Amino acid sequence: MLNIVIFGAPGSGKGTQSDMIIKKYGLFHISTGDVLRVEMKNGTELGKIAEGYISKGQLVPDELIIDMLAKVLDSNEETKNGVIFDGFPRTIPQAEALKAMLKERGAEVSAVIGLEVEEEELIDRLIKRGQVSGRSDDNLEAIKSRLDVYHNQTTPLKDYYINEKKYKAIHGMGTIESIFAAIEKEIDNL
């Protein structure tokens, strides 16, 4: 079973690279962002709570995310071959909870693919994405808030996963194909 965490700041290309990893390695994709957006669009209670946090550029509370992930893992037969976690974990407590949740299921995180992109490039990508997609959280004020949250709360994960010997640094600038080639090399060497 191949369980990959794709890691990086908002706008680093996690979704794009996740799609390519899924296609090549046949993994089940769990994007907390996508799941939360569906919940918000459908107006569920979780969606309403999550929207309050996301619209301010804040992280959704861990308990909501952990419960949601456990349900997705347990209710989808396709997760048996492995999973790519896109947008989760974002904090050390989430990483520890993920580790415990996977251990209960006889699995572990195989690798953490860290997409490393310069800040100016992240802002530019997110502004452009907002213009194309109309996502409400892709405006300059929310982007800066999300990047501040990322740097303050999520960056320590890099050290956590380095200590776990799981972190694989990938230069996240260049063509989509060249970035993916670097990712393939890391995954194929697991």
Side-chain angles (χ1 to χ4, degrees), residues 6-14 17 112-122 125 150-151 155 157-159 161-162 167-174 179 182-183:
I6 192 150
F7 178 84
S12 62
K14 294 184 300 291
Q17 294 301 328
V112 176
I113 303 298
L115 297 174
E116 300 185 354
V117 180
E118 295 169 10
E119 186 106 356
E120 286 180 23
E121 176 70 12
L122 294 171
R125 289 180 185 181
Y150 172 78
H151 292 306
T155 300
L157 270 181
K158 181 176 178 178
D159 291 335
Y161 280 119
I162 287 170
Y167 191 81
K168 311 295 181 192
I170 303 293
H171 182 68
M173 296 180 65
I179 296 165
I183 292 171

PDB file of all heavy atoms in Angstrom, residues 6-14 17 112-122 125 150-151 155 157-159 161-162 167-174 179 182-183:
ATOM      1  N   ILE A   6       0.939  14.876  -0.079  1.00  0.00           N
ATOM      2  CA  ILE A   6       1.494  15.923  -0.926  1.00  0.00           C
ATOM      3  C   ILE A   6       1.420  17.208  -0.122  1.00  0.00           C
ATOM      4  O   ILE A   6       0.388  17.545   0.444  1.00  0.00           O
ATOM      5  CB  ILE A   6       0.830  15.997  -2.314  1.00  0.00           C
ATOM      6  CG1 ILE A   6       1.645  16.904  -3.217  1.00  0.00           C
ATOM      7  CG2 ILE A   6      -0.627  16.346  -2.243  1.00  0.00           C
ATOM      8  CD1 ILE A   6       1.584  16.563  -4.672  1.00  0.00           C
ATOM      9  N   PHE A   7       2.551  17.880  -0.026  1.00  0.00           N
ATOM     10  CA  PHE A   7       2.749  18.943   0.946  1.00  0.00           C
ATOM     11  C   PHE A   7       3.237  20.191   0.230  1.00  0.00           C
ATOM     12  O   PHE A   7       4.075  20.110  -0.658  1.00  0.00           O
ATOM     13  CB  PHE A   7       3.809  18.443   1.938  1.00  0.00           C
ATOM     14  CG  PHE A   7       4.207  19.394   3.020  1.00  0.00           C
ATOM     15  CD1 PHE A   7       3.455  19.489   4.169  1.00  0.00           C
ATOM     16  CD2 PHE A   7       5.354  20.162   2.898  1.00  0.00           C
ATOM     17  CE1 PHE A   7       3.840  20.347   5.193  1.00  0.00           C
ATOM     18  CE2 PHE A   7       5.744  21.027   3.911  1.00  0.00           C
ATOM     19  CZ  PHE A   7       4.978  21.113   5.061  1.00  0.00           C
ATOM     20  N   GLY A   8       2.711  21.328   0.600  1.00  0.00           N
ATOM     21  CA  GLY A   8       3.170  22.584   0.035  1.00  0.00           C
ATOM     22  C   GLY A   8       2.191  23.699   0.323  1.00  0.00           C
ATOM     23  O   GLY A   8       1.040  23.459   0.694  1.00  0.00           O
ATOM     24  N   ALA A   9       2.645  24.904   0.137  1.00  0.00           N
ATOM     25  CA  ALA A   9       1.823  26.089   0.385  1.00  0.00           C
ATOM     26  C   ALA A   9       0.657  26.137  -0.597  1.00  0.00           C
ATOM     27  O   ALA A   9       0.698  25.507  -1.660  1.00  0.00           O
ATOM     28  CB  ALA A   9       2.674  27.344   0.238  1.00  0.00           C
ATOM     29  N   PRO A  10      -0.395  26.913  -0.264  1.00  0.00           N
ATOM     30  CA  PRO A  10      -1.453  27.138  -1.238  1.00  0.00           C
ATOM     31  C   PRO A  10      -0.848  27.661  -2.542  1.00  0.00           C
ATOM     32  O   PRO A  10       0.007  28.547  -2.511  1.00  0.00           O
ATOM     33  CB  PRO A  10      -2.328  28.205  -0.569  1.00  0.00           C
ATOM     34  CG  PRO A  10      -2.076  28.059   0.898  1.00  0.00           C
ATOM     35  CD  PRO A  10      -0.620  27.636   0.998  1.00  0.00           C
ATOM     36  N   GLY A  11      -1.239  27.067  -3.665  1.00  0.00           N
ATOM     37  CA  GLY A  11      -0.725  27.491  -4.959  1.00  0.00           C
ATOM     38  C   GLY A  11       0.538  26.781  -5.397  1.00  0.00           C
ATOM     39  O   GLY A  11       1.076  27.066  -6.461  1.00  0.00           O
ATOM     40  N   SER A  12       1.016  25.818  -4.608  1.00  0.00           N
ATOM     41  CA  SER A  12       2.269  25.131  -4.947  1.00  0.00           C
ATOM     42  C   SER A  12       2.097  24.058  -6.016  1.00  0.00           C
ATOM     43  O   SER A  12       3.092  23.540  -6.521  1.00  0.00           O
ATOM     44  CB  SER A  12       2.910  24.525  -3.696  1.00  0.00           C
ATOM     45  OG  SER A  12       2.056  23.557  -3.124  1.00  0.00           O
ATOM     46  N   GLY A  13       0.870  23.729  -6.357  1.00  0.00           N
ATOM     47  CA  GLY A  13       0.625  22.731  -7.398  1.00  0.00           C
ATOM     48  C   GLY A  13       0.210  21.375  -6.870  1.00  0.00           C
ATOM     49  O   GLY A  13       0.266  20.378  -7.588  1.00  0.00           O
ATOM     50  N   LYS A  14      -0.232  21.325  -5.611  1.00  0.00           N
ATOM     51  CA  LYS A  14      -0.611  20.046  -5.014  1.00  0.00           C
ATOM     52  C   LYS A  14      -1.700  19.332  -5.815  1.00  0.00           C
ATOM     53  O   LYS A  14      -1.598  18.139  -6.074  1.00  0.00           O
ATOM     54  CB  LYS A  14      -1.084  20.249  -3.562  1.00  0.00           C
ATOM     55  CG  LYS A  14      -0.009  20.722  -2.623  1.00  0.00           C
ATOM     56  CD  LYS A  14      -0.495  20.822  -1.185  1.00  0.00           C
ATOM     57  CE  LYS A  14      -1.648  21.763  -0.970  1.00  0.00           C
ATOM     58  NZ  LYS A  14      -1.331  23.181  -1.144  1.00  0.00           N
ATOM     59  N   GLN A  17      -0.311  18.084  -9.335  1.00  0.00           N
ATOM     60  CA  GLN A  17       0.605  16.953  -9.200  1.00  0.00           C
ATOM     61  C   GLN A  17      -0.101  15.729  -8.623  1.00  0.00           C
ATOM     62  O   GLN A  17       0.215  14.597  -9.003  1.00  0.00           O
ATOM     63  CB  GLN A  17       1.827  17.346  -8.367  1.00  0.00           C
ATOM     64  CG  GLN A  17       2.704  18.400  -9.033  1.00  0.00           C
ATOM     65  CD  GLN A  17       3.258  17.976 -10.385  1.00  0.00           C
ATOM     66  OE1 GLN A  17       3.522  16.816 -10.637  1.00  0.00           O
ATOM     67  NE2 GLN A  17       3.433  18.954 -11.268  1.00  0.00           N
ATOM     68  N   VAL A 112       6.285  11.834   1.995  1.00  0.00           N
ATOM     69  CA  VAL A 112       5.710  13.172   1.947  1.00  0.00           C
ATOM     70  C   VAL A 112       6.416  13.907   0.810  1.00  0.00           C
ATOM     71  O   VAL A 112       7.626  14.112   0.863  1.00  0.00           O
ATOM     72  CB  VAL A 112       5.896  13.915   3.286  1.00  0.00           C
ATOM     73  CG1 VAL A 112       5.378  15.339   3.189  1.00  0.00           C
ATOM     74  CG2 VAL A 112       5.215  13.152   4.412  1.00  0.00           C
ATOM     75  N   ILE A 113       5.642  14.250  -0.215  1.00  0.00           N
ATOM     76  CA  ILE A 113       6.178  14.972  -1.362  1.00  0.00           C
ATOM     77  C   ILE A 113       6.011  16.460  -1.064  1.00  0.00           C
ATOM     78  O   ILE A 113       4.882  16.963  -1.015  1.00  0.00           O
ATOM     79  CB  ILE A 113       5.425  14.588  -2.666  1.00  0.00           C
ATOM     80  CG1 ILE A 113       5.501  13.077  -2.916  1.00  0.00           C
ATOM     81  CG2 ILE A 113       5.943  15.408  -3.835  1.00  0.00           C
ATOM     82  CD1 ILE A 113       6.884  12.522  -3.124  1.00  0.00           C
ATOM     83  N   GLY A 114       7.116  17.152  -0.850  1.00  0.00           N
ATOM     84  CA  GLY A 114       7.089  18.570  -0.484  1.00  0.00           C
ATOM     85  C   GLY A 114       7.371  19.453  -1.684  1.00  0.00           C
ATOM     86  O   GLY A 114       8.502  19.515  -2.156  1.00  0.00           O
ATOM     87  N   LEU A 115       6.339  20.123  -2.193  1.00  0.00           N
ATOM     88  CA  LEU A 115       6.488  21.034  -3.328  1.00  0.00           C
ATOM     89  C   LEU A 115       6.942  22.390  -2.808  1.00  0.00           C
ATOM     90  O   LEU A 115       6.198  23.068  -2.096  1.00  0.00           O
ATOM     91  CB  LEU A 115       5.169  21.166  -4.085  1.00  0.00           C
ATOM     92  CG  LEU A 115       4.642  19.880  -4.717  1.00  0.00           C
ATOM     93  CD1 LEU A 115       3.260  20.107  -5.309  1.00  0.00           C
ATOM     94  CD2 LEU A 115       5.606  19.371  -5.772  1.00  0.00           C
ATOM     95  N   GLU A 116       8.163  22.778  -3.143  1.00  0.00           N
ATOM     96  CA  GLU A 116       8.750  24.005  -2.632  1.00  0.00           C
ATOM     97  C   GLU A 116       8.745  25.072  -3.724  1.00  0.00           C
ATOM     98  O   GLU A 116       9.380  24.902  -4.768  1.00  0.00           O
ATOM     99  CB  GLU A 116      10.148  23.704  -2.096  1.00  0.00           C
ATOM    100  CG  GLU A 116      10.059  22.670  -0.972  1.00  0.00           C
ATOM    101  CD  GLU A 116      11.366  22.379  -0.270  1.00  0.00           C
ATOM    102  OE1 GLU A 116      12.418  22.889  -0.693  1.00  0.00           O
ATOM    103  OE2 GLU A 116      11.318  21.644   0.734  1.00  0.00           O
ATOM    104  N   VAL A 117       7.988  26.164  -3.470  1.00  0.00           N
ATOM    105  CA  VAL A 117       7.764  27.231  -4.454  1.00  0.00           C
ATOM    106  C   VAL A 117       7.977  28.576  -3.764  1.00  0.00           C
ATOM    107  O   VAL A 117       7.561  28.766  -2.619  1.00  0.00           O
ATOM    108  CB  VAL A 117       6.335  27.152  -5.033  1.00  0.00           C
ATOM    109  CG1 VAL A 117       6.090  28.242  -6.057  1.00  0.00           C
ATOM    110  CG2 VAL A 117       6.062  25.776  -5.639  1.00  0.00           C
ATOM    111  N   GLU A 118       8.594  29.524  -4.481  1.00  0.00           N
ATOM    112  CA  GLU A 118       8.834  30.858  -3.933  1.00  0.00           C
ATOM    113  C   GLU A 118       7.513  31.600  -3.707  1.00  0.00           C
ATOM    114  O   GLU A 118       6.555  31.447  -4.456  1.00  0.00           O
ATOM    115  CB  GLU A 118       9.721  31.656  -4.893  1.00  0.00           C
ATOM    116  CG  GLU A 118      11.112  31.078  -5.037  1.00  0.00           C
ATOM    117  CD  GLU A 118      11.902  31.691  -6.178  1.00  0.00           C
ATOM    118  OE1 GLU A 118      11.447  32.701  -6.762  1.00  0.00           O
ATOM    119  OE2 GLU A 118      12.972  31.142  -6.483  1.00  0.00           O
ATOM    120  N   GLU A 119       7.482  32.434  -2.666  1.00  0.00           N
ATOM    121  CA  GLU A 119       6.270  33.143  -2.237  1.00  0.00           C
ATOM    122  C   GLU A 119       5.632  33.996  -3.345  1.00  0.00           C
ATOM    123  O   GLU A 119       4.416  33.967  -3.526  1.00  0.00           O
ATOM    124  CB  GLU A 119       6.606  34.024  -1.029  1.00  0.00           C
ATOM    125  CG  GLU A 119       5.399  34.688  -0.420  1.00  0.00           C
ATOM    126  CD  GLU A 119       4.994  34.070   0.896  1.00  0.00           C
ATOM    127  OE1 GLU A 119       5.586  33.078   1.329  1.00  0.00           O
ATOM    128  OE2 GLU A 119       4.063  34.592   1.486  1.00  0.00           O
ATOM    129  N   GLU A 120       6.425  34.765  -4.068  1.00  0.00           N
ATOM    130  CA  GLU A 120       5.871  35.617  -5.134  1.00  0.00           C
ATOM    131  C   GLU A 120       5.159  34.778  -6.185  1.00  0.00           C
ATOM    132  O   GLU A 120       4.102  35.159  -6.698  1.00  0.00           O
ATOM    133  CB  GLU A 120       6.975  36.451  -5.798  1.00  0.00           C
ATOM    134  CG  GLU A 120       7.466  37.590  -4.937  1.00  0.00           C
ATOM    135  CD  GLU A 120       8.560  38.415  -5.626  1.00  0.00           C
ATOM    136  OE1 GLU A 120       8.641  38.393  -6.866  1.00  0.00           O
ATOM    137  OE2 GLU A 120       9.316  39.080  -4.902  1.00  0.00           O
ATOM    138  N   GLU A 121       5.724  33.629  -6.505  1.00  0.00           N
ATOM    139  CA  GLU A 121       5.119  32.722  -7.483  1.00  0.00           C
ATOM    140  C   GLU A 121       3.797  32.170  -6.948  1.00  0.00           C
ATOM    141  O   GLU A 121       2.823  32.050  -7.686  1.00  0.00           O
ATOM    142  CB  GLU A 121       6.087  31.591  -7.826  1.00  0.00           C
ATOM    143  CG  GLU A 121       5.519  30.544  -8.764  1.00  0.00           C
ATOM    144  CD  GLU A 121       5.289  31.015 -10.195  1.00  0.00           C
ATOM    145  OE1 GLU A 121       5.777  32.108 -10.570  1.00  0.00           O
ATOM    146  OE2 GLU A 121       4.607  30.308 -10.939  1.00  0.00           O
ATOM    147  N   LEU A 122       3.760  31.834  -5.653  1.00  0.00           N
ATOM    148  CA  LEU A 122       2.524  31.328  -5.044  1.00  0.00           C
ATOM    149  C   LEU A 122       1.398  32.353  -5.178  1.00  0.00           C
ATOM    150  O   LEU A 122       0.277  32.011  -5.589  1.00  0.00           O
ATOM    151  CB  LEU A 122       2.749  31.008  -3.563  1.00  0.00           C
ATOM    152  CG  LEU A 122       3.708  29.875  -3.240  1.00  0.00           C
ATOM    153  CD1 LEU A 122       3.993  29.844  -1.744  1.00  0.00           C
ATOM    154  CD2 LEU A 122       3.164  28.543  -3.726  1.00  0.00           C
ATOM    155  N   ARG A 125       0.237  32.662  -8.816  1.00  0.00           N
ATOM    156  CA  ARG A 125      -0.569  31.497  -9.221  1.00  0.00           C
ATOM    157  C   ARG A 125      -1.976  31.563  -8.637  1.00  0.00           C
ATOM    158  O   ARG A 125      -2.957  31.265  -9.322  1.00  0.00           O
ATOM    159  CB  ARG A 125       0.096  30.198  -8.758  1.00  0.00           C
ATOM    160  CG  ARG A 125       1.343  29.821  -9.499  1.00  0.00           C
ATOM    161  CD  ARG A 125       1.894  28.526  -8.933  1.00  0.00           C
ATOM    162  NE  ARG A 125       3.160  28.156  -9.528  1.00  0.00           N
ATOM    163  CZ  ARG A 125       3.831  27.038  -9.200  1.00  0.00           C
ATOM    164  NH1 ARG A 125       3.343  26.219  -8.293  1.00  0.00           N
ATOM    165  NH2 ARG A 125       4.983  26.775  -9.780  1.00  0.00           N
ATOM    166  N   TYR A 150      -0.145  29.247   6.793  1.00  0.00           N
ATOM    167  CA  TYR A 150       0.719  28.160   6.332  1.00  0.00           C
ATOM    168  C   TYR A 150       2.104  28.252   6.973  1.00  0.00           C
ATOM    169  O   TYR A 150       2.606  27.276   7.541  1.00  0.00           O
ATOM    170  CB  TYR A 150       0.833  28.189   4.798  1.00  0.00           C
ATOM    171  CG  TYR A 150       1.855  27.220   4.270  1.00  0.00           C
ATOM    172  CD1 TYR A 150       1.560  25.864   4.173  1.00  0.00           C
ATOM    173  CD2 TYR A 150       3.124  27.641   3.903  1.00  0.00           C
ATOM    174  CE1 TYR A 150       2.495  24.958   3.711  1.00  0.00           C
ATOM    175  CE2 TYR A 150       4.071  26.749   3.433  1.00  0.00           C
ATOM    176  CZ  TYR A 150       3.756  25.407   3.342  1.00  0.00           C
ATOM    177  OH  TYR A 150       4.692  24.519   2.899  1.00  0.00           O
ATOM    178  N   HIS A 151       2.722  29.421   6.885  1.00  0.00           N
ATOM    179  CA  HIS A 151       4.072  29.568   7.421  1.00  0.00           C
ATOM    180  C   HIS A 151       4.115  29.360   8.935  1.00  0.00           C
ATOM    181  O   HIS A 151       5.055  28.753   9.451  1.00  0.00           O
ATOM    182  CB  HIS A 151       4.657  30.934   7.060  1.00  0.00           C
ATOM    183  CG  HIS A 151       4.929  31.080   5.597  1.00  0.00           C
ATOM    184  ND1 HIS A 151       5.702  30.202   4.874  1.00  0.00           N
ATOM    185  CD2 HIS A 151       4.492  32.000   4.705  1.00  0.00           C
ATOM    186  CE1 HIS A 151       5.749  30.571   3.610  1.00  0.00           C
ATOM    187  NE2 HIS A 151       5.022  31.656   3.481  1.00  0.00           N
ATOM    188  N   THR A 155       4.508  24.924   8.272  1.00  0.00           N
ATOM    189  CA  THR A 155       5.923  24.739   7.990  1.00  0.00           C
ATOM    190  C   THR A 155       6.616  23.789   8.980  1.00  0.00           C
ATOM    191  O   THR A 155       7.476  23.006   8.563  1.00  0.00           O
ATOM    192  CB  THR A 155       6.635  26.108   7.904  1.00  0.00           C
ATOM    193  OG1 THR A 155       6.017  26.856   6.853  1.00  0.00           O
ATOM    194  CG2 THR A 155       8.113  25.945   7.601  1.00  0.00           C
ATOM    195  N   LEU A 157       5.728  21.087   9.932  1.00  0.00           N
ATOM    196  CA  LEU A 157       5.535  19.724   9.443  1.00  0.00           C
ATOM    197  C   LEU A 157       6.743  19.226   8.650  1.00  0.00           C
ATOM    198  O   LEU A 157       7.040  18.036   8.656  1.00  0.00           O
ATOM    199  CB  LEU A 157       4.310  19.647   8.523  1.00  0.00           C
ATOM    200  CG  LEU A 157       2.983  19.344   9.170  1.00  0.00           C
ATOM    201  CD1 LEU A 157       1.900  19.295   8.123  1.00  0.00           C
ATOM    202  CD2 LEU A 157       3.022  18.066   9.954  1.00  0.00           C
ATOM    203  N   LYS A 158       7.379  20.133   7.952  1.00  0.00           N
ATOM    204  CA  LYS A 158       8.556  19.735   7.167  1.00  0.00           C
ATOM    205  C   LYS A 158       9.587  19.090   8.083  1.00  0.00           C
ATOM    206  O   LYS A 158      10.078  17.986   7.802  1.00  0.00           O
ATOM    207  CB  LYS A 158       9.143  20.944   6.442  1.00  0.00           C
ATOM    208  CG  LYS A 158      10.345  20.623   5.591  1.00  0.00           C
ATOM    209  CD  LYS A 158      10.796  21.874   4.842  1.00  0.00           C
ATOM    210  CE  LYS A 158      12.036  21.607   4.015  1.00  0.00           C
ATOM    211  NZ  LYS A 158      12.455  22.787   3.259  1.00  0.00           N
ATOM    212  N   ASP A 159       9.906  19.752   9.195  1.00  0.00           N
ATOM    213  CA  ASP A 159      10.872  19.189  10.146  1.00  0.00           C
ATOM    214  C   ASP A 159      10.361  17.881  10.749  1.00  0.00           C
ATOM    215  O   ASP A 159      11.129  16.934  10.933  1.00  0.00           O
ATOM    216  CB  ASP A 159      11.188  20.189  11.256  1.00  0.00           C
ATOM    217  CG  ASP A 159      11.972  21.384  10.748  1.00  0.00           C
ATOM    218  OD1 ASP A 159      12.667  21.248   9.720  1.00  0.00           O
ATOM    219  OD2 ASP A 159      11.886  22.457  11.370  1.00  0.00           O
ATOM    220  N   TYR A 161       8.384  15.644   9.357  1.00  0.00           N
ATOM    221  CA  TYR A 161       8.521  14.553   8.392  1.00  0.00           C
ATOM    222  C   TYR A 161       9.974  14.287   8.005  1.00  0.00           C
ATOM    223  O   TYR A 161      10.315  13.161   7.647  1.00  0.00           O
ATOM    224  CB  TYR A 161       7.638  14.794   7.167  1.00  0.00           C
ATOM    225  CG  TYR A 161       6.194  14.418   7.433  1.00  0.00           C
ATOM    226  CD1 TYR A 161       5.181  15.358   7.348  1.00  0.00           C
ATOM    227  CD2 TYR A 161       5.839  13.119   7.778  1.00  0.00           C
ATOM    228  CE1 TYR A 161       3.858  15.012   7.597  1.00  0.00           C
ATOM    229  CE2 TYR A 161       4.526  12.760   8.037  1.00  0.00           C
ATOM    230  CZ  TYR A 161       3.534  13.710   7.944  1.00  0.00           C
ATOM    231  OH  TYR A 161       2.236  13.359   8.192  1.00  0.00           O
ATOM    232  N   ILE A 162      10.841  15.278   8.112  1.00  0.00           N
ATOM    233  CA  ILE A 162      12.274  15.023   7.926  1.00  0.00           C
ATOM    234  C   ILE A 162      12.753  14.081   9.030  1.00  0.00           C
ATOM    235  O   ILE A 162      13.464  13.103   8.772  1.00  0.00           O
ATOM    236  CB  ILE A 162      13.085  16.343   7.902  1.00  0.00           C
ATOM    237  CG1 ILE A 162      12.834  17.091   6.580  1.00  0.00           C
ATOM    238  CG2 ILE A 162      14.575  16.071   8.106  1.00  0.00           C
ATOM    239  CD1 ILE A 162      13.389  18.510   6.549  1.00  0.00           C
ATOM    240  N   TYR A 167      10.144  12.882   4.323  1.00  0.00           N
ATOM    241  CA  TYR A 167      10.044  14.093   3.500  1.00  0.00           C
ATOM    242  C   TYR A 167      10.936  14.019   2.269  1.00  0.00           C
ATOM    243  O   TYR A 167      12.137  13.727   2.365  1.00  0.00           O
ATOM    244  CB  TYR A 167      10.422  15.325   4.324  1.00  0.00           C
ATOM    245  CG  TYR A 167      10.098  16.630   3.628  1.00  0.00           C
ATOM    246  CD1 TYR A 167       8.810  17.142   3.660  1.00  0.00           C
ATOM    247  CD2 TYR A 167      11.070  17.329   2.925  1.00  0.00           C
ATOM    248  CE1 TYR A 167       8.502  18.337   3.008  1.00  0.00           C
ATOM    249  CE2 TYR A 167      10.771  18.520   2.280  1.00  0.00           C
ATOM    250  CZ  TYR A 167       9.483  19.020   2.329  1.00  0.00           C
ATOM    251  OH  TYR A 167       9.185  20.185   1.684  1.00  0.00           O
ATOM    252  N   LYS A 168      10.332  14.284   1.104  1.00  0.00           N
ATOM    253  CA  LYS A 168      11.043  14.328  -0.173  1.00  0.00           C
ATOM    254  C   LYS A 168      10.845  15.719  -0.769  1.00  0.00           C
ATOM    255  O   LYS A 168       9.751  16.056  -1.234  1.00  0.00           O
ATOM    256  CB  LYS A 168      10.499  13.275  -1.151  1.00  0.00           C
ATOM    257  CG  LYS A 168      10.352  11.869  -0.577  1.00  0.00           C
ATOM    258  CD  LYS A 168      11.670  11.261  -0.200  1.00  0.00           C
ATOM    259  CE  LYS A 168      11.474   9.843   0.340  1.00  0.00           C
ATOM    260  NZ  LYS A 168      12.653   9.319   0.953  1.00  0.00           N
ATOM    261  N   ALA A 169      11.891  16.549  -0.728  1.00  0.00           N
ATOM    262  CA  ALA A 169      11.797  17.924  -1.235  1.00  0.00           C
ATOM    263  C   ALA A 169      11.796  17.920  -2.759  1.00  0.00           C
ATOM    264  O   ALA A 169      12.660  17.313  -3.385  1.00  0.00           O
ATOM    265  CB  ALA A 169      12.963  18.756  -0.713  1.00  0.00           C
ATOM    266  N   ILE A 170      10.815  18.615  -3.339  1.00  0.00           N
ATOM    267  CA  ILE A 170      10.678  18.729  -4.791  1.00  0.00           C
ATOM    268  C   ILE A 170      10.657  20.209  -5.144  1.00  0.00           C
ATOM    269  O   ILE A 170       9.834  20.967  -4.612  1.00  0.00           O
ATOM    270  CB  ILE A 170       9.371  18.066  -5.287  1.00  0.00           C
ATOM    271  CG1 ILE A 170       9.295  16.591  -4.880  1.00  0.00           C
ATOM    272  CG2 ILE A 170       9.198  18.254  -6.793  1.00  0.00           C
ATOM    273  CD1 ILE A 170      10.302  15.679  -5.537  1.00  0.00           C
ATOM    274  N   HIS A 171      11.542  20.618  -6.062  1.00  0.00           N
ATOM    275  CA  HIS A 171      11.536  22.006  -6.545  1.00  0.00           C
ATOM    276  C   HIS A 171      10.254  22.182  -7.361  1.00  0.00           C
ATOM    277  O   HIS A 171      10.099  21.586  -8.425  1.00  0.00           O
ATOM    278  CB  HIS A 171      12.785  22.284  -7.381  1.00  0.00           C
ATOM    279  CG  HIS A 171      12.876  23.685  -7.880  1.00  0.00           C
ATOM    280  ND1 HIS A 171      13.072  24.758  -7.028  1.00  0.00           N
ATOM    281  CD2 HIS A 171      12.767  24.196  -9.123  1.00  0.00           C
ATOM    282  CE1 HIS A 171      13.089  25.876  -7.744  1.00  0.00           C
ATOM    283  NE2 HIS A 171      12.911  25.563  -9.017  1.00  0.00           N
ATOM    284  N   GLY A 172       9.313  22.984  -6.837  1.00  0.00           N
ATOM    285  CA  GLY A 172       7.981  23.111  -7.425  1.00  0.00           C
ATOM    286  C   GLY A 172       7.832  24.196  -8.459  1.00  0.00           C
ATOM    287  O   GLY A 172       6.716  24.664  -8.706  1.00  0.00           O
ATOM    288  N   MET A 173       8.936  24.631  -9.057  1.00  0.00           N
ATOM    289  CA  MET A 173       8.861  25.636 -10.116  1.00  0.00           C
ATOM    290  C   MET A 173       9.424  25.013 -11.386  1.00  0.00           C
ATOM    291  O   MET A 173      10.326  24.192 -11.336  1.00  0.00           O
ATOM    292  CB  MET A 173       9.622  26.889  -9.707  1.00  0.00           C
ATOM    293  CG  MET A 173       8.970  27.537  -8.483  1.00  0.00           C
ATOM    294  SD  MET A 173       9.762  29.034  -7.903  1.00  0.00           S
ATOM    295  CE  MET A 173       9.510  30.138  -9.269  1.00  0.00           C
ATOM    296  N   GLY A 174       8.875  25.414 -12.520  1.00  0.00           N
ATOM    297  CA  GLY A 174       9.253  24.820 -13.788  1.00  0.00           C
ATOM    298  C   GLY A 174       8.003  24.279 -14.448  1.00  0.00           C
ATOM    299  O   GLY A 174       6.878  24.621 -14.061  1.00  0.00           O
ATOM    300  N   ILE A 179       8.391  18.870 -12.939  1.00  0.00           N
ATOM    301  CA  ILE A 179       8.115  18.689 -11.509  1.00  0.00           C
ATOM    302  C   ILE A 179       7.655  17.255 -11.262  1.00  0.00           C
ATOM    303  O   ILE A 179       8.113  16.584 -10.336  1.00  0.00           O
ATOM    304  CB  ILE A 179       7.066  19.714 -11.017  1.00  0.00           C
ATOM    305  CG1 ILE A 179       7.626  21.138 -11.151  1.00  0.00           C
ATOM    306  CG2 ILE A 179       6.644  19.416  -9.580  1.00  0.00           C
ATOM    307  CD1 ILE A 179       6.579  22.233 -11.039  1.00  0.00           C
ATOM    308  N   ALA A 182      10.446  14.656 -11.245  1.00  0.00           N
ATOM    309  CA  ALA A 182      11.165  14.616  -9.960  1.00  0.00           C
ATOM    310  C   ALA A 182      10.368  13.832  -8.914  1.00  0.00           C
ATOM    311  O   ALA A 182      10.937  13.083  -8.118  1.00  0.00           O
ATOM    312  CB  ALA A 182      11.444  16.039  -9.472  1.00  0.00           C
ATOM    313  N   ILE A 183       9.049  14.000  -8.938  1.00  0.00           N
ATOM    314  CA  ILE A 183       8.187  13.252  -8.006  1.00  0.00           C
ATOM    315  C   ILE A 183       8.247  11.753  -8.315  1.00  0.00           C
ATOM    316  O   ILE A 183       8.395  10.939  -7.393  1.00  0.00           O
ATOM    317  CB  ILE A 183       6.730  13.775  -8.081  1.00  0.00           C
ATOM    318  CG1 ILE A 183       6.652  15.195  -7.525  1.00  0.00           C
ATOM    319  CG2 ILE A 183       5.784  12.826  -7.331  1.00  0.00           C
ATOM    320  CD1 ILE A 183       5.319  15.879  -7.756  1.00  0.00           C
TER     321      ILE A 183
END
